[in-house]
Amino acid sequence: MKKALPILCLLLLFMACKQEKDCSYIKDYYQTIYLAEEAYFLGDFQRVYDLISEVESHCALLNQRGPYEMLKYAEAAARIGKDEKALQLVRDLIFEGYEIDQLAQKDAFVQLAAGPEWKAIALEYDTLRRQYLHTIDLDLRKQVVEMKDADQYYRSMLRKPGINRDSIYKIIGRVDSINDRKLKNTLDRYGYPGERVIGGYNIDDQQVDAGILLFHVDDYDYYTTTLKRLIEQGKAPPESLGNFVDSYQRRVKDQKKFIYGIYDNVGEEQIIDYENLDERRVSIGLPPRSLKSRVDSLRRAYYGI
């Protein structure tokens, strides 16, 4: 029996590694999550639960800004009576940066929050929160904020009347070059600096997203290759690549055609090979345009915006 235990441990480790290795987020994850988000806004919580459960069987869950699939999964579990799963996900969400009081205010968790299991989690919350804070890089968060501020500050100066635009454009060029080097270093060392790397809104009451920097960098080969690899691994949001490529296309002289159709106000005539647009979008983890439109509409109606 003693000899069997190490073998069993090795087998479990191998299976865990194989599961992670076999997960292609582009192929196995994103599209199902978009369907689950649609089901959530339609109130079909059983479908939300079933879809994300299937994804979870072969991919580690993300909690992307926008879909926030782990939160929706937890809410769906609570609403269909899967209390044990919901409570497990609540603990997981604390390690995603959620505060226990924030979660307790969700309608889906009202009954759970009154129970002993939730109260046990609440007693652990301070310890769990400290553990979470040790997993994020606050120095990198500060750097991303500084990069964004510099990116926007000089561009905002272009709107001032009488400004010497040529001199401002030179400064913008230098800032973009510095940000480009810093962003590449960040992507190479940490992956995309999303909420799992630098924390979310409740760290300092501000949304910190490096995505805007991708609109102002030009190394096409590096960013397309690096972002595609990170998206495949679940370490960068699919829109990061779409935003970079289409904003790059927009800046190319005499080239106003887009590849991934990230701009909602762009018509078919401005998109290269429009008939195959959805195929290209899906190939980098973006939803088909029609599905995106449906989910966006449902989200606006749900939140009253």
Side-chain angles (χ1 to χ4, degrees):
M1 181 65 180
K2 290 182 179 179
K3 291 182 179 180
L5 284 175
I7 295 173
L8 178 60
C9 291
L10 287 172
L11 179 60
L12 291 173
L13 179 61
F14 170 79
M15 291 174 65
C17 292
K18 185 176 187 299
Q19 176 180 342
E20 183 177 351
K21 181 179 179 181
D22 287 348
C23 176
S24 162
Y25 280 85
I26 289 176
K27 178 183 176 183
D28 303 326
Y29 190 89
Y30 298 115
Q31 301 308 316
T32 304
I33 294 301
Y34 300 136
L35 293 173
E37 185 181 18
E38 180 182 38
Y40 175 89
F41 291 129
L42 291 171
D44 190 346
F45 300 112
Q46 184 65 59
R47 178 165 167 77
V48 174
Y49 186 86
D50 291 343
L51 286 169
I52 302 183
S53 292
E54 171 59 25
V55 164
E56 190 183 26
S57 69
H58 49 266
C59 291
L61 292 180
L62 309 176
N63 194 48
Q64 306 165 89
R65 180 178 295 175
Y68 292 111
E69 58 266 36
M70 286 179 66
L71 178 59
K72 289 180 172 61
Y73 189 23
E75 290 186 59
R79 289 188 182 278
I80 66 172
K82 302 284 188 180
D83 291 356
E84 184 177 348
K85 183 64 176 179
L87 289 163
Q88 174 207 316
L89 287 163
V90 165
R91 289 180 62 90
D92 293 343
L93 286 166
I94 292 171
F95 284 110
E96 294 290 328
Y98 286 81
E99 297 173 343
I100 189 71
D101 291 342
Q102 172 190 9
L103 293 170
Q105 292 173 7
K106 295 286 183 181
D107 290 343
F109 299 141
V110 169
Q111 290 186 337
L112 280 181
E117 295 89 351
W118 186 287
K119 291 176 181 177
I121 295 174
L123 288 174
E124 289 185 82
Y125 172 72
D126 288 343
T127 299
L128 299 176
R129 178 70 176 180
R130 285 194 296 271
Q131 291 174 358
Y132 159 70
L133 291 173
H134 282 303
T135 69
I136 60 174
D137 192 326
L138 296 179
D139 289 335
L140 181 58
R141 181 180 180 86
K142 180 181 178 182
Q143 177 179 292
V144 172
V145 170
E146 291 171 349
M147 291 165 67
K148 284 182 57 184
D149 288 348
D151 176 275
Q152 291 298 292
Y153 176 75
Y154 293 104
R155 284 179 166 83
S156 68
M157 291 183 67
L158 292 171
R159 295 193 292 269
K160 294 184 178 181
I163 197 77
N164 186 331
R165 296 174 67 86
D166 289 340
S167 65
I168 296 299
Y169 275 122
K170 288 180 181 178
I171 296 173
I172 288 173
R174 290 197 294 270
V175 169
D176 287 350
S177 179
I178 293 169
N179 280 348
D180 176 50
R181 291 196 299 272
K182 290 181 178 179
L183 184 57
K184 286 177 177 175
N185 181 62
T186 297
L187 292 172
D188 291 340
R189 291 186 62 189
Y190 306 101
Y192 188 86
E195 292 186 359
R196 281 190 169 174
V197 177
I198 62 173
Y201 179 83
N202 64 21
I203 295 296
D204 50 16
D205 295 333
Q206 63 175 327
Q207 293 286 7
V208 179
D209 185 358
I212 195 169
L213 302 173
L214 292 169
F215 287 86
H216 305 136
V217 291
D218 295 319
D219 191 338
Y220 193 89
D221 289 342
Y222 172 83
Y223 284 105
T224 53
T225 301
T226 301
L227 291 172
K228 180 70 177 289
R229 172 175 52 81
L230 292 172
I231 292 166
E232 181 76 29
Q233 297 169 349
K235 295 180 180 178
E239 60 267 22
S240 62
L241 180 53
N243 288 344
F244 168 73
V245 170
D246 275 12
S247 64
Y248 179 91
Q249 290 287 114
R250 196 172 197 168
R251 297 194 302 275
V252 176
K253 188 176 181 180
D254 300 325
Q255 171 60 279
K256 296 294 185 181
K257 298 288 186 177
F258 303 105
I259 294 176
Y260 295 113
I262 65 164
Y263 299 103
D264 291 336
N265 60 347
V266 167
E268 297 181 17
E269 71 284 354
Q270 293 177 277
I271 296 174
I272 296 171
D273 187 20
Y274 183 79
E275 291 183 358
N276 293 307
L277 171 63
D278 283 345
E279 182 179 343
R280 291 195 302 276
R281 288 175 62 89
V282 169
S283 74
I284 65 167
L286 290 170
R289 223 178 185 202
S290 59
L291 176 57
K292 179 183 183 299
S293 179
R294 293 201 308 272
V295 172
D296 286 349
S297 179
L298 288 167
R299 186 186 298 111
R300 287 192 295 269
Y302 185 87
Y303 292 112
I305 55 177

PDB file of all heavy atoms in Angstrom, residues 70-79 86-87 89-90 93 100 102-115 118:
ATOM      1  N   MET A  70     -16.615  33.229 -13.742  1.00  0.00           N
ATOM      2  CA  MET A  70     -16.624  32.535 -12.454  1.00  0.00           C
ATOM      3  C   MET A  70     -17.745  33.053 -11.559  1.00  0.00           C
ATOM      4  O   MET A  70     -18.402  32.283 -10.850  1.00  0.00           O
ATOM      5  CB  MET A  70     -15.269  32.680 -11.757  1.00  0.00           C
ATOM      6  CG  MET A  70     -14.172  31.835 -12.374  1.00  0.00           C
ATOM      7  SD  MET A  70     -12.573  32.048 -11.545  1.00  0.00           S
ATOM      8  CE  MET A  70     -12.941  31.353  -9.934  1.00  0.00           C
ATOM      9  N   LEU A  71     -17.969  34.355 -11.591  1.00  0.00           N
ATOM     10  CA  LEU A  71     -19.055  34.928 -10.803  1.00  0.00           C
ATOM     11  C   LEU A  71     -20.408  34.436 -11.317  1.00  0.00           C
ATOM     12  O   LEU A  71     -21.282  34.044 -10.527  1.00  0.00           O
ATOM     13  CB  LEU A  71     -18.989  36.454 -10.850  1.00  0.00           C
ATOM     14  CG  LEU A  71     -20.103  37.193 -10.101  1.00  0.00           C
ATOM     15  CD1 LEU A  71     -20.113  36.817  -8.622  1.00  0.00           C
ATOM     16  CD2 LEU A  71     -19.959  38.702 -10.272  1.00  0.00           C
ATOM     17  N   LYS A  72     -20.585  34.443 -12.621  1.00  0.00           N
ATOM     18  CA  LYS A  72     -21.859  33.980 -13.185  1.00  0.00           C
ATOM     19  C   LYS A  72     -22.069  32.492 -12.909  1.00  0.00           C
ATOM     20  O   LYS A  72     -23.198  32.038 -12.677  1.00  0.00           O
ATOM     21  CB  LYS A  72     -21.899  34.275 -14.684  1.00  0.00           C
ATOM     22  CG  LYS A  72     -22.047  35.766 -15.009  1.00  0.00           C
ATOM     23  CD  LYS A  72     -22.091  36.007 -16.495  1.00  0.00           C
ATOM     24  CE  LYS A  72     -22.428  37.465 -16.816  1.00  0.00           C
ATOM     25  NZ  LYS A  72     -21.457  38.426 -16.294  1.00  0.00           N
ATOM     26  N   TYR A  73     -21.008  31.739 -12.936  1.00  0.00           N
ATOM     27  CA  TYR A  73     -21.070  30.300 -12.620  1.00  0.00           C
ATOM     28  C   TYR A  73     -21.515  30.104 -11.172  1.00  0.00           C
ATOM     29  O   TYR A  73     -22.387  29.272 -10.876  1.00  0.00           O
ATOM     30  CB  TYR A  73     -19.682  29.713 -12.854  1.00  0.00           C
ATOM     31  CG  TYR A  73     -19.543  28.215 -12.800  1.00  0.00           C
ATOM     32  CD1 TYR A  73     -20.608  27.349 -13.012  1.00  0.00           C
ATOM     33  CD2 TYR A  73     -18.282  27.652 -12.559  1.00  0.00           C
ATOM     34  CE1 TYR A  73     -20.434  25.972 -12.983  1.00  0.00           C
ATOM     35  CE2 TYR A  73     -18.097  26.281 -12.531  1.00  0.00           C
ATOM     36  CZ  TYR A  73     -19.174  25.445 -12.738  1.00  0.00           C
ATOM     37  OH  TYR A  73     -18.996  24.083 -12.715  1.00  0.00           O
ATOM     38  N   ALA A  74     -20.928  30.877 -10.268  1.00  0.00           N
ATOM     39  CA  ALA A  74     -21.290  30.772  -8.850  1.00  0.00           C
ATOM     40  C   ALA A  74     -22.750  31.154  -8.632  1.00  0.00           C
ATOM     41  O   ALA A  74     -23.485  30.481  -7.891  1.00  0.00           O
ATOM     42  CB  ALA A  74     -20.380  31.669  -8.018  1.00  0.00           C
ATOM     43  N   GLU A  75     -23.177  32.235  -9.275  1.00  0.00           N
ATOM     44  CA  GLU A  75     -24.571  32.660  -9.135  1.00  0.00           C
ATOM     45  C   GLU A  75     -25.519  31.599  -9.697  1.00  0.00           C
ATOM     46  O   GLU A  75     -26.561  31.299  -9.095  1.00  0.00           O
ATOM     47  CB  GLU A  75     -24.787  33.989  -9.848  1.00  0.00           C
ATOM     48  CG  GLU A  75     -24.107  35.170  -9.176  1.00  0.00           C
ATOM     49  CD  GLU A  75     -24.466  36.480  -9.848  1.00  0.00           C
ATOM     50  OE1 GLU A  75     -25.669  36.806  -9.906  1.00  0.00           O
ATOM     51  OE2 GLU A  75     -23.550  37.172 -10.326  1.00  0.00           O
ATOM     52  N   ALA A  76     -25.161  31.053 -10.848  1.00  0.00           N
ATOM     53  CA  ALA A  76     -26.006  30.019 -11.452  1.00  0.00           C
ATOM     54  C   ALA A  76     -26.097  28.798 -10.545  1.00  0.00           C
ATOM     55  O   ALA A  76     -27.182  28.223 -10.353  1.00  0.00           O
ATOM     56  CB  ALA A  76     -25.457  29.630 -12.821  1.00  0.00           C
ATOM     57  N   ALA A  77     -24.962  28.398  -9.972  1.00  0.00           N
ATOM     58  CA  ALA A  77     -24.956  27.246  -9.067  1.00  0.00           C
ATOM     59  C   ALA A  77     -25.887  27.486  -7.882  1.00  0.00           C
ATOM     60  O   ALA A  77     -26.665  26.607  -7.487  1.00  0.00           O
ATOM     61  CB  ALA A  77     -23.532  26.971  -8.587  1.00  0.00           C
ATOM     62  N   ALA A  78     -25.820  28.679  -7.315  1.00  0.00           N
ATOM     63  CA  ALA A  78     -26.678  29.000  -6.170  1.00  0.00           C
ATOM     64  C   ALA A  78     -28.150  28.989  -6.565  1.00  0.00           C
ATOM     65  O   ALA A  78     -29.010  28.497  -5.818  1.00  0.00           O
ATOM     66  CB  ALA A  78     -26.289  30.360  -5.599  1.00  0.00           C
ATOM     67  N   ARG A  79     -28.455  29.495  -7.740  1.00  0.00           N
ATOM     68  CA  ARG A  79     -29.855  29.617  -8.162  1.00  0.00           C
ATOM     69  C   ARG A  79     -30.489  28.266  -8.495  1.00  0.00           C
ATOM     70  O   ARG A  79     -31.710  28.119  -8.416  1.00  0.00           O
ATOM     71  CB  ARG A  79     -29.964  30.568  -9.351  1.00  0.00           C
ATOM     72  CG  ARG A  79     -29.722  32.032  -8.969  1.00  0.00           C
ATOM     73  CD  ARG A  79     -30.026  32.965 -10.117  1.00  0.00           C
ATOM     74  NE  ARG A  79     -29.768  34.357  -9.805  1.00  0.00           N
ATOM     75  CZ  ARG A  79     -30.594  35.159  -9.142  1.00  0.00           C
ATOM     76  NH1 ARG A  79     -31.749  34.684  -8.691  1.00  0.00           N
ATOM     77  NH2 ARG A  79     -30.282  36.421  -8.921  1.00  0.00           N
ATOM     78  N   ALA A  86     -21.488  26.328  -5.330  1.00  0.00           N
ATOM     79  CA  ALA A  86     -21.538  27.786  -5.214  1.00  0.00           C
ATOM     80  C   ALA A  86     -20.584  28.280  -4.130  1.00  0.00           C
ATOM     81  O   ALA A  86     -19.860  29.263  -4.321  1.00  0.00           O
ATOM     82  CB  ALA A  86     -22.962  28.240  -4.919  1.00  0.00           C
ATOM     83  N   LEU A  87     -20.561  27.593  -3.002  1.00  0.00           N
ATOM     84  CA  LEU A  87     -19.686  27.998  -1.895  1.00  0.00           C
ATOM     85  C   LEU A  87     -18.213  27.818  -2.262  1.00  0.00           C
ATOM     86  O   LEU A  87     -17.366  28.642  -1.898  1.00  0.00           O
ATOM     87  CB  LEU A  87     -20.032  27.201  -0.645  1.00  0.00           C
ATOM     88  CG  LEU A  87     -21.372  27.575   0.011  1.00  0.00           C
ATOM     89  CD1 LEU A  87     -21.827  26.486   0.971  1.00  0.00           C
ATOM     90  CD2 LEU A  87     -21.259  28.921   0.734  1.00  0.00           C
ATOM     91  N   LEU A  89     -17.032  28.105  -5.231  1.00  0.00           N
ATOM     92  CA  LEU A  89     -16.731  29.196  -6.153  1.00  0.00           C
ATOM     93  C   LEU A  89     -16.622  30.534  -5.433  1.00  0.00           C
ATOM     94  O   LEU A  89     -15.841  31.401  -5.839  1.00  0.00           O
ATOM     95  CB  LEU A  89     -17.798  29.258  -7.251  1.00  0.00           C
ATOM     96  CG  LEU A  89     -17.712  28.133  -8.284  1.00  0.00           C
ATOM     97  CD1 LEU A  89     -19.013  28.008  -9.066  1.00  0.00           C
ATOM     98  CD2 LEU A  89     -16.537  28.373  -9.243  1.00  0.00           C
ATOM     99  N   VAL A  90     -17.387  30.713  -4.368  1.00  0.00           N
ATOM    100  CA  VAL A  90     -17.263  31.938  -3.577  1.00  0.00           C
ATOM    101  C   VAL A  90     -15.847  32.054  -3.008  1.00  0.00           C
ATOM    102  O   VAL A  90     -15.225  33.124  -3.049  1.00  0.00           O
ATOM    103  CB  VAL A  90     -18.319  31.969  -2.451  1.00  0.00           C
ATOM    104  CG1 VAL A  90     -17.973  33.027  -1.402  1.00  0.00           C
ATOM    105  CG2 VAL A  90     -19.701  32.252  -3.043  1.00  0.00           C
ATOM    106  N   LEU A  93     -13.600  32.986  -5.769  1.00  0.00           N
ATOM    107  CA  LEU A  93     -13.761  34.391  -6.158  1.00  0.00           C
ATOM    108  C   LEU A  93     -13.019  35.329  -5.211  1.00  0.00           C
ATOM    109  O   LEU A  93     -12.542  36.391  -5.628  1.00  0.00           O
ATOM    110  CB  LEU A  93     -15.249  34.751  -6.214  1.00  0.00           C
ATOM    111  CG  LEU A  93     -16.003  34.179  -7.421  1.00  0.00           C
ATOM    112  CD1 LEU A  93     -17.511  34.285  -7.212  1.00  0.00           C
ATOM    113  CD2 LEU A  93     -15.589  34.890  -8.710  1.00  0.00           C
ATOM    114  N   ILE A 100     -15.872  39.752   0.427  1.00  0.00           N
ATOM    115  CA  ILE A 100     -16.969  38.915   0.904  1.00  0.00           C
ATOM    116  C   ILE A 100     -18.271  39.709   1.009  1.00  0.00           C
ATOM    117  O   ILE A 100     -19.352  39.210   0.671  1.00  0.00           O
ATOM    118  CB  ILE A 100     -16.608  38.249   2.255  1.00  0.00           C
ATOM    119  CG1 ILE A 100     -17.653  37.199   2.643  1.00  0.00           C
ATOM    120  CG2 ILE A 100     -16.432  39.291   3.344  1.00  0.00           C
ATOM    121  CD1 ILE A 100     -17.628  35.954   1.809  1.00  0.00           C
ATOM    122  N   GLN A 102     -19.107  42.267  -0.793  1.00  0.00           N
ATOM    123  CA  GLN A 102     -19.531  42.502  -2.174  1.00  0.00           C
ATOM    124  C   GLN A 102     -20.314  41.301  -2.698  1.00  0.00           C
ATOM    125  O   GLN A 102     -21.370  41.456  -3.329  1.00  0.00           O
ATOM    126  CB  GLN A 102     -18.285  42.756  -3.035  1.00  0.00           C
ATOM    127  CG  GLN A 102     -18.512  42.839  -4.527  1.00  0.00           C
ATOM    128  CD  GLN A 102     -17.197  42.853  -5.303  1.00  0.00           C
ATOM    129  OE1 GLN A 102     -16.118  42.644  -4.738  1.00  0.00           O
ATOM    130  NE2 GLN A 102     -17.281  43.094  -6.602  1.00  0.00           N
ATOM    131  N   LEU A 103     -19.833  40.105  -2.418  1.00  0.00           N
ATOM    132  CA  LEU A 103     -20.511  38.899  -2.872  1.00  0.00           C
ATOM    133  C   LEU A 103     -21.828  38.683  -2.131  1.00  0.00           C
ATOM    134  O   LEU A 103     -22.823  38.251  -2.720  1.00  0.00           O
ATOM    135  CB  LEU A 103     -19.596  37.687  -2.688  1.00  0.00           C
ATOM    136  CG  LEU A 103     -18.343  37.669  -3.569  1.00  0.00           C
ATOM    137  CD1 LEU A 103     -17.396  36.564  -3.123  1.00  0.00           C
ATOM    138  CD2 LEU A 103     -18.714  37.488  -5.037  1.00  0.00           C
ATOM    139  N   ALA A 104     -21.844  38.988  -0.850  1.00  0.00           N
ATOM    140  CA  ALA A 104     -23.049  38.771  -0.041  1.00  0.00           C
ATOM    141  C   ALA A 104     -24.218  39.623  -0.519  1.00  0.00           C
ATOM    142  O   ALA A 104     -25.383  39.287  -0.260  1.00  0.00           O
ATOM    143  CB  ALA A 104     -22.750  39.064   1.427  1.00  0.00           C
ATOM    144  N   GLN A 105     -23.929  40.710  -1.223  1.00  0.00           N
ATOM    145  CA  GLN A 105     -24.988  41.596  -1.705  1.00  0.00           C
ATOM    146  C   GLN A 105     -25.652  41.089  -2.979  1.00  0.00           C
ATOM    147  O   GLN A 105     -26.684  41.622  -3.396  1.00  0.00           O
ATOM    148  CB  GLN A 105     -24.416  42.998  -1.941  1.00  0.00           C
ATOM    149  CG  GLN A 105     -24.005  43.710  -0.662  1.00  0.00           C
ATOM    150  CD  GLN A 105     -23.281  45.009  -0.925  1.00  0.00           C
ATOM    151  OE1 GLN A 105     -23.186  45.469  -2.069  1.00  0.00           O
ATOM    152  NE2 GLN A 105     -22.753  45.624   0.124  1.00  0.00           N
ATOM    153  N   LYS A 106     -25.085  40.066  -3.599  1.00  0.00           N
ATOM    154  CA  LYS A 106     -25.676  39.509  -4.810  1.00  0.00           C
ATOM    155  C   LYS A 106     -26.974  38.778  -4.465  1.00  0.00           C
ATOM    156  O   LYS A 106     -27.018  37.973  -3.531  1.00  0.00           O
ATOM    157  CB  LYS A 106     -24.697  38.538  -5.482  1.00  0.00           C
ATOM    158  CG  LYS A 106     -23.426  39.181  -6.016  1.00  0.00           C
ATOM    159  CD  LYS A 106     -23.716  39.967  -7.275  1.00  0.00           C
ATOM    160  CE  LYS A 106     -22.457  40.558  -7.872  1.00  0.00           C
ATOM    161  NZ  LYS A 106     -22.746  41.346  -9.086  1.00  0.00           N
ATOM    162  N   ASP A 107     -28.017  39.033  -5.245  1.00  0.00           N
ATOM    163  CA  ASP A 107     -29.309  38.396  -4.984  1.00  0.00           C
ATOM    164  C   ASP A 107     -29.205  36.877  -4.953  1.00  0.00           C
ATOM    165  O   ASP A 107     -29.876  36.213  -4.156  1.00  0.00           O
ATOM    166  CB  ASP A 107     -30.324  38.818  -6.053  1.00  0.00           C
ATOM    167  CG  ASP A 107     -30.726  40.286  -5.937  1.00  0.00           C
ATOM    168  OD1 ASP A 107     -30.492  40.875  -4.865  1.00  0.00           O
ATOM    169  OD2 ASP A 107     -31.266  40.827  -6.917  1.00  0.00           O
ATOM    170  N   ALA A 108     -28.359  36.332  -5.811  1.00  0.00           N
ATOM    171  CA  ALA A 108     -28.245  34.876  -5.906  1.00  0.00           C
ATOM    172  C   ALA A 108     -27.703  34.250  -4.625  1.00  0.00           C
ATOM    173  O   ALA A 108     -27.930  33.065  -4.366  1.00  0.00           O
ATOM    174  CB  ALA A 108     -27.345  34.497  -7.082  1.00  0.00           C
ATOM    175  N   PHE A 109     -26.993  35.048  -3.816  1.00  0.00           N
ATOM    176  CA  PHE A 109     -26.328  34.496  -2.639  1.00  0.00           C
ATOM    177  C   PHE A 109     -27.037  34.828  -1.321  1.00  0.00           C
ATOM    178  O   PHE A 109     -26.501  34.540  -0.254  1.00  0.00           O
ATOM    179  CB  PHE A 109     -24.883  35.012  -2.563  1.00  0.00           C
ATOM    180  CG  PHE A 109     -24.028  34.636  -3.740  1.00  0.00           C
ATOM    181  CD1 PHE A 109     -23.112  35.545  -4.260  1.00  0.00           C
ATOM    182  CD2 PHE A 109     -24.124  33.388  -4.329  1.00  0.00           C
ATOM    183  CE1 PHE A 109     -22.313  35.208  -5.342  1.00  0.00           C
ATOM    184  CE2 PHE A 109     -23.332  33.043  -5.415  1.00  0.00           C
ATOM    185  CZ  PHE A 109     -22.429  33.954  -5.924  1.00  0.00           C
ATOM    186  N   VAL A 110     -28.201  35.433  -1.387  1.00  0.00           N
ATOM    187  CA  VAL A 110     -28.873  35.883  -0.163  1.00  0.00           C
ATOM    188  C   VAL A 110     -29.084  34.735   0.818  1.00  0.00           C
ATOM    189  O   VAL A 110     -28.751  34.837   2.011  1.00  0.00           O
ATOM    190  CB  VAL A 110     -30.219  36.558  -0.501  1.00  0.00           C
ATOM    191  CG1 VAL A 110     -31.034  36.783   0.776  1.00  0.00           C
ATOM    192  CG2 VAL A 110     -29.988  37.888  -1.205  1.00  0.00           C
ATOM    193  N   GLN A 111     -29.625  33.628   0.339  1.00  0.00           N
ATOM    194  CA  GLN A 111     -29.879  32.497   1.242  1.00  0.00           C
ATOM    195  C   GLN A 111     -28.581  31.856   1.715  1.00  0.00           C
ATOM    196  O   GLN A 111     -28.439  31.517   2.898  1.00  0.00           O
ATOM    197  CB  GLN A 111     -30.765  31.461   0.546  1.00  0.00           C
ATOM    198  CG  GLN A 111     -32.203  31.925   0.346  1.00  0.00           C
ATOM    199  CD  GLN A 111     -33.099  30.829  -0.207  1.00  0.00           C
ATOM    200  OE1 GLN A 111     -32.619  29.877  -0.825  1.00  0.00           O
ATOM    201  NE2 GLN A 111     -34.395  30.959   0.006  1.00  0.00           N
ATOM    202  N   LEU A 112     -27.628  31.707   0.809  1.00  0.00           N
ATOM    203  CA  LEU A 112     -26.351  31.114   1.197  1.00  0.00           C
ATOM    204  C   LEU A 112     -25.653  31.958   2.259  1.00  0.00           C
ATOM    205  O   LEU A 112     -25.049  31.423   3.199  1.00  0.00           O
ATOM    206  CB  LEU A 112     -25.436  30.982  -0.020  1.00  0.00           C
ATOM    207  CG  LEU A 112     -25.659  29.809  -0.975  1.00  0.00           C
ATOM    208  CD1 LEU A 112     -24.637  29.865  -2.097  1.00  0.00           C
ATOM    209  CD2 LEU A 112     -25.567  28.487  -0.238  1.00  0.00           C
ATOM    210  N   ALA A 113     -25.725  33.270   2.107  1.00  0.00           N
ATOM    211  CA  ALA A 113     -25.016  34.168   3.024  1.00  0.00           C
ATOM    212  C   ALA A 113     -25.554  34.086   4.444  1.00  0.00           C
ATOM    213  O   ALA A 113     -24.871  34.498   5.393  1.00  0.00           O
ATOM    214  CB  ALA A 113     -25.095  35.604   2.513  1.00  0.00           C
ATOM    215  N   ALA A 114     -26.758  33.558   4.589  1.00  0.00           N
ATOM    216  CA  ALA A 114     -27.345  33.418   5.930  1.00  0.00           C
ATOM    217  C   ALA A 114     -26.988  32.087   6.579  1.00  0.00           C
ATOM    218  O   ALA A 114     -27.293  31.866   7.755  1.00  0.00           O
ATOM    219  CB  ALA A 114     -28.867  33.547   5.842  1.00  0.00           C
ATOM    220  N   GLY A 115     -26.309  31.225   5.833  1.00  0.00           N
ATOM    221  CA  GLY A 115     -26.023  29.888   6.331  1.00  0.00           C
ATOM    222  C   GLY A 115     -24.674  29.774   7.013  1.00  0.00           C
ATOM    223  O   GLY A 115     -23.807  30.653   6.887  1.00  0.00           O
ATOM    224  N   TRP A 118     -21.321  29.825   4.724  1.00  0.00           N
ATOM    225  CA  TRP A 118     -20.898  31.174   4.302  1.00  0.00           C
ATOM    226  C   TRP A 118     -20.245  31.903   5.473  1.00  0.00           C
ATOM    227  O   TRP A 118     -19.215  32.567   5.310  1.00  0.00           O
ATOM    228  CB  TRP A 118     -22.104  31.959   3.797  1.00  0.00           C
ATOM    229  CG  TRP A 118     -21.748  33.303   3.210  1.00  0.00           C
ATOM    230  CD1 TRP A 118     -21.346  34.425   3.885  1.00  0.00           C
ATOM    231  CD2 TRP A 118     -21.749  33.655   1.820  1.00  0.00           C
ATOM    232  NE1 TRP A 118     -21.110  35.460   3.018  1.00  0.00           N
ATOM    233  CE2 TRP A 118     -21.348  35.012   1.736  1.00  0.00           C
ATOM    234  CE3 TRP A 118     -22.061  32.977   0.648  1.00  0.00           C
ATOM    235  CZ2 TRP A 118     -21.258  35.687   0.518  1.00  0.00           C
ATOM    236  CZ3 TRP A 118     -21.969  33.651  -0.561  1.00  0.00           C
ATOM    237  CH2 TRP A 118     -21.567  34.986  -0.618  1.00  0.00           C
TER     238      TRP A 118
END
